[in-house]
Amino acid sequence: MLYAEQTCDSVRTQALNSGKTRICPYRTIYRMKDPLNLKDKLFQDGYDSLNDDEKLRLLLSHSETSKNIDAVAEQIEEICGSMAAATQADVHFLMNECGANIHSAVLLELVLQLKRRCEINEADKTRLNTSANAKRFFQGFMKGRSREIFVGVLVGKTYKIKCCEILNYGSAGDVNASAKNAVEFALKNRAKSIFISHCHPNAGCAPSDEDRAATRRIQKALSSAGIVLIDHIITGVDGAVSLREIDGDIFKSVESYTLSFSGS
């Protein structure tokens, strides 16, 4: 370790004399907007050593020309407010309003989708035996959606996820929650228990009268086919709700499914 420090100091002196700014993987004089220096900082001090501005510029260095990185980063920060918000923005919005090229826009979209995929993979290990677990799973699955989707998830006797499928795509404001699609999905996979879910990508998670009516229709159709509807989870910009928690009379009673608000 001591040898490395001495070697680094020697290289530092040579670099300063030669006018270079990137001098050593152990110690670096950072010109903060230089992607090479940001990479060195990442390798040396770790991801958490970078602030949000630096993370955005480092990411853009893989997709934008060097002369455009700062301008695009400043536009994204001004319009979106943060890199986190930018990852949730529409690809075309990033290109048209923030000046990002298609590679940068797709890369920012991938950040969110990879995070969502990791959350889904982690949730797959969890049994959906509580409404809290179900809400957590569907929030991860719905994250970053720009339009409403209707989803079915089949579970076994221990509430382990067997199959997950998008049953219908909608618009930014509505989706057709088809009872026929839910029944066919369950029968095709020989399942006896199903969760359904849909998202409100631009609104809160509170259920509408139409959401409740659709749930009743789906519950009736599933029941006639001998399939149990465990819960309907609705996600929104403010979280997720379990329709069984707030409208339990829609559903038939099930064993071993714990509602988070009551513990029963």
Side-chain angles (χ1 to χ4, degrees), residues 202-264:
N202 301 308
C205 58
S208 65
D209 291 340
E210 291 80 3
D211 292 338
R212 288 182 167 89
T215 305
R216 291 182 187 278
R217 289 197 305 272
I218 294 169
Q219 154 65 22
K220 184 177 180 180
L222 288 167
S223 181
S224 66
I227 301 161
V228 177
L229 177 59
I230 305 294
D231 208 342
H232 181 178
I233 305 296
I234 304 172
T235 70
V237 295
D238 55 351
V241 296
S242 155
L243 209 55
R244 181 181 281 274
E245 286 182 353
I246 59 178
D247 249 341
D249 61 309
I250 295 177
F251 303 85
K252 292 186 176 182
S253 62
V254 291
E255 296 181 357
S256 306
Y257 183 64
T258 303
L259 301 181
S260 59
F261 73 88
S262 65
S264 62

Side-chain angles (χ1 to χ4, degrees), residues 23-237:
I23 57 179
C24 182
Y26 297 101
R27 289 182 181 176
T28 306
I29 297 176
Y30 300 114
R31 190 172 61 216
M32 301 311 291
K33 295 182 180 181
D34 188 330
L36 289 177
N37 289 334
L38 291 177
K39 288 178 183 177
D40 280 347
K41 186 178 180 183
L42 173 68
F43 294 143
Q44 177 183 340
D45 300 324
Y47 177 80
D48 291 335
S49 68
L50 301 175
N51 61 37
D52 286 349
D53 177 73
E54 292 167 343
K55 291 170 186 172
L56 177 59
R57 282 171 165 75
L58 182 56
L59 184 141
L60 291 175
S61 72
H62 293 83
S63 53
E64 295 285 346
T65 61
S66 57
K67 66 179 181 180
N68 288 340
I69 292 173
D70 286 346
V72 174
E74 288 167 7
Q75 278 290 93
I76 288 174
E77 289 167 343
E78 180 180 349
I79 295 173
C80 298
S82 66
M83 186 175 76
T87 64
Q88 300 184 51
D90 179 74
V91 169
H92 298 289
F93 177 86
L94 291 170
M95 294 169 62
N96 297 332
E97 301 299 327
C98 301
N101 64 30
I102 188 169
H103 306 294
S104 297
V106 170
L107 193 56
L108 285 163
E109 168 75 9
L110 281 175
V111 171
L112 181 66
Q113 296 306 326
L114 288 171
K115 182 176 185 293
R116 184 176 66 85
R117 184 69 256 175
C118 289
E119 290 177 349
I120 291 171
N121 288 343
E122 186 63 29
D124 280 344
K125 303 173 185 177
T126 303
R127 292 184 302 142
L128 303 187
N129 60 333
T130 71
S131 57
N133 286 349
K135 285 185 280 190
R136 190 178 303 115
F137 171 81
F138 285 109
Q139 279 184 281
F141 190 90
M142 300 296 191
K143 185 171 292 184
R145 305 286 181 178
S146 59
R147 54 178 174 162
E148 292 197 16
I149 57 173
F150 176 51
V151 176
V153 170
L154 307 177
V155 295
K157 292 181 179 179
T158 62
Y159 292 91
K160 180 71 176 176
I161 296 172
K162 296 172 62 178
C163 186
C164 177
E165 188 172 306
I166 297 176
L167 303 179
N168 219 343
Y169 289 90
S171 66
D174 58 53
V175 64
N176 177 22
S178 167
K180 178 183 177 182
N181 288 358
V183 172
E184 288 180 347
F185 171 55
L187 291 176
K188 177 180 68 176
N189 292 280
R190 300 180 180 178
K192 294 296 184 182
S193 301
I194 184 173
F195 285 81
I196 59 172
S197 177
H198 80 282
C199 59
H200 296 162
N202 301 308
C205 58
S208 65
D209 291 340
E210 291 80 3
D211 292 338
R212 288 182 167 89
T215 305
R216 291 182 187 278
R217 289 197 305 272
I218 294 169
Q219 154 65 22
K220 184 177 180 180
L222 288 167
S223 181
S224 66
I227 301 161
V228 177
L229 177 59
I230 305 294
D231 208 342
H232 181 178
I233 305 296
I234 304 172
T235 70
V237 295

